[in-house]
Amino acid sequence: MSCSTGKNIVVTVFGQSHSQAIGAVVDGVPAGIGIDESRIADFMKRRSAKDGISTARREADEIRIVSGIVDGITCGAPICAIIGNVDTKSSDYDDFKNLPRPSHSDFSAYFKHNGNNDIRGGGNSSGRMTAAICFAGAVCIQLLEKKGIYIGAHALSVYDAEDERFDPVNVSAEELKKIGSSEYPVLNPDSLEKMKKAIEDAKAEKDSVGGVIECAIVGIEAGTGEPMFDGIENKISSSVFAIPAIKGIEFGSGFDGSRKHGSENNDDFRKCGEKIVTSKNDHGGILGGMASGMPVIFRCAVKPVPSIGKAQRSVDLESGEEKEITVCGRHDSCIVMRAVPCIEAAAAIAIADLVF
C-alpha cells in the first residue's frame, strides 16, 4: 500500500481519520526557499467546515512543522508536518466493523486488510486525510509561485446549480488569487444561493449531493511534462484521485469534445505579439502530455457524500445476514466547497514534481 507520490518532489501522507494525528512529508524541496507558514494556515482554513453546509466535526487543523523549515527558509531536509485529530467521536462507528456502509471503502478495505482495517471515520481512506494533502499542496503552491505558476479552482456545480466557467483562454493569475481569498469559491455570487439551497434541500431529506470542481493553472511553460506516463494529465489525475470523493476528471473540452468534429475541437495557432497562442483552448493547455503555454484547465466530478441518514441495505460480513443500515454521526451533506482547495493542492503537488 503506497501513500506516497512523486519522483522529484516526493509527498507522503500518513495517519487515519481517528488516529492521534495525521500529517505529510514533503521531500526533495531545495534549500533556501522562503515558505510563509501563515499562508499555509490560511490555505488550511479554506478546507475547514463551513457553517450551515458542512459537517458538525470541527477540527482546527493547527499545523506543527517538525522539520525542513528553519526561520521560514527550507533547509534541504524533508518537510514534515503533524496535524492533530482533536474532535473525534469513534463510538459513532461501533456498529460498522462488520457491516460495510454503502459506497464507502469499508467493504474493499475489509478484504484487503483481512478485517483489520480502521473503520473509525473511514480510517486512512477518509476525507479527513485531505487535510494532510492540503498541507503538502500549500507548500508546493508557494514553490510554484516562485516560478510564476498559479493555481485556482471553484465550485462549477452543486447538484443542478451551476456557476460560470473560467475563460479558458484569458483566465489570469489575479483572478485565481481572488477566488482563493473568497469564503465560498464561486465566480458568480448568484450561483452560490442556488448551491446552498441544493445542499439544504438534501440535508432536510437526510440525503447528500455532489458536484463538479473546475481548476485552472497558469504560467506553465510550453514543453513542460512528458509524452507518456508522466504527462501533465497523468500526473494531475493521479494526485486528484487521492481525494476519496473524486470519481471522474476531464481536461479542456473533455467528454464534450468527443461529440465534436475535429474541425470544431482543434485549436488553431496564431501570433499574439511575440507569443504563439491558440484561438480557443479545447485542448486544455496540454498537447501530447506536455504544456502548450495556454492555461491548463480541468474539471473533476465529486460524488455525493455516501454517509446519509436514509435507511440503506448492507450485509454482515461475519454472519452473512442482510441488514438495514442507517449511518448516524456528523457528516457533510455536500463536500464540494471544502474540496476546492484539496483539488488545488493535488494539482500543485503534481506540477511541482514536474518542474523541480
Side-chain angles (χ1 to χ4, degrees):
M1 183 176 69
S2 175
C3 292
S4 300
T5 186
K7 296 179 180 178
N8 301 309
I9 303 293
V10 181
V11 171
T12 300
V13 171
F14 59 86
Q16 302 109 252
S17 179
H18 286 212
S19 58
Q20 289 187 4
I22 61 174
V25 178
V26 186
D27 196 3
V29 177
I33 299 178
I35 298 293
D36 186 339
E37 294 184 30
S38 67
R39 285 191 60 197
I40 294 176
D42 288 342
F43 188 83
M44 299 296 294
K45 289 176 183 175
R46 291 178 56 204
R47 181 199 161 277
S48 62
K50 299 183 183 299
D51 290 341
I53 63 171
S54 297
T55 176
R57 181 175 176 177
R58 292 291 188 267
E59 293 284 3
D61 286 349
E62 292 183 359
I63 305 293
R64 184 161 66 94
I65 298 176
V66 298
S67 67
I69 299 175
V70 179
D71 296 328
I73 306 293
T74 60
C75 65
I79 300 171
C80 177
I82 295 174
I83 309 167
N85 286 330
V86 179
D87 189 21
T88 58
K89 192 177 178 184
S90 299
S91 60
D92 285 343
Y93 301 90
D94 289 347
D95 295 337
F96 304 129
K97 179 63 178 175
N98 299 307
L99 195 63
R101 297 165 296 167
S103 290
H104 284 78
S105 66
D106 302 355
F107 182 80
S108 51
Y110 178 94
F111 288 98
K112 181 174 181 62
H113 301 296
N114 298 314
N116 296 304
N117 54 304
D118 184 359
I119 193 69
R120 304 168 303 165
N124 70 335
S125 297
S126 169
R128 173 70 183 143
M129 302 307 298
T130 60
I133 293 173
C134 279
F135 167 77
V139 171
C140 290
I141 283 169
Q142 293 192 43
L143 298 180
L144 292 173
E145 288 179 359
K146 310 292 185 187
K147 292 182 175 289
I149 298 171
Y150 294 87
I151 299 174
H154 70 113
L156 179 60
S157 69
V158 169
Y159 192 50
D160 60 356
E162 296 190 359
D163 192 18
E164 299 172 358
R165 290 193 175 196
F166 284 129
D167 182 329
V169 173
N170 298 309
V171 61
S172 66
E174 289 69 29
E175 183 179 2
L176 301 183
K177 291 176 188 176
K178 180 180 178 181
I179 197 167
S181 63
S182 303
E183 181 181 6
Y184 294 96
V186 294
L187 300 182
N188 184 348
D190 292 339
S191 65
L192 177 60
E193 295 308 313
K194 296 176 182 178
M195 291 179 178
K196 284 185 174 181
K197 185 177 186 306
I199 297 169
E200 290 166 358
D201 288 349
K203 188 175 183 179
E205 295 293 327
K206 297 183 178 182
D207 217 329
S208 64
V209 289
V212 175
I213 294 171
E214 182 180 51
C215 185
I217 310 171
V218 299
I220 304 179
E221 292 186 3
T224 301
E226 300 294 336
M228 295 189 73
F229 296 111
D230 283 336
I232 293 178
E233 293 109 326
N234 311 52
K235 299 287 285 186
I236 289 176
S237 298
S238 178
S239 289
V240 164
F241 277 111
I243 299 167
I246 302 305
K247 299 301 288 183
I249 192 166
E250 65 174 13
F251 293 83
S253 62
F255 291 102
D256 286 341
S258 69
R259 293 184 287 271
K260 295 180 179 180
H261 289 102
S263 56
E264 297 173 284
N265 197 59
N266 288 351
D267 295 327
D268 293 335
F269 291 104
R270 63 182 179 85
K271 285 291 293 292
C272 181
E274 296 301 312
K275 292 182 63 177
I276 298 176
V277 299
T278 56
S279 55
K280 54 186 181 63
N281 192 14
D282 278 351
H283 68 288
I286 307 166
L287 294 169
M290 298 165 285
S292 69
M294 298 297 288
V296 170
I297 304 286
F298 70 91
R299 289 167 293 278
C300 48
V302 183
K303 74 176 183 179
V305 177
S307 293
I308 59 175
K310 287 180 176 288
Q312 302 174 87
R313 302 293 300 177
S314 187
V315 175
D316 189 302
L317 298 177
E318 283 196 343
S319 69
E321 180 185 358
E322 290 189 8
K323 293 184 178 180
E324 186 175 273
I325 181 174
T326 302
V327 180
C328 301
R330 303 167 299 168
H331 307 287
D332 297 82
S333 294
C334 178
I335 62 164
V336 173
M337 296 292 181
R338 298 181 65 193
V340 166
C342 305
I343 297 298
E344 295 174 3
I349 291 168
I351 299 302
D353 190 45
L354 287 172
V355 302
F356 277 87

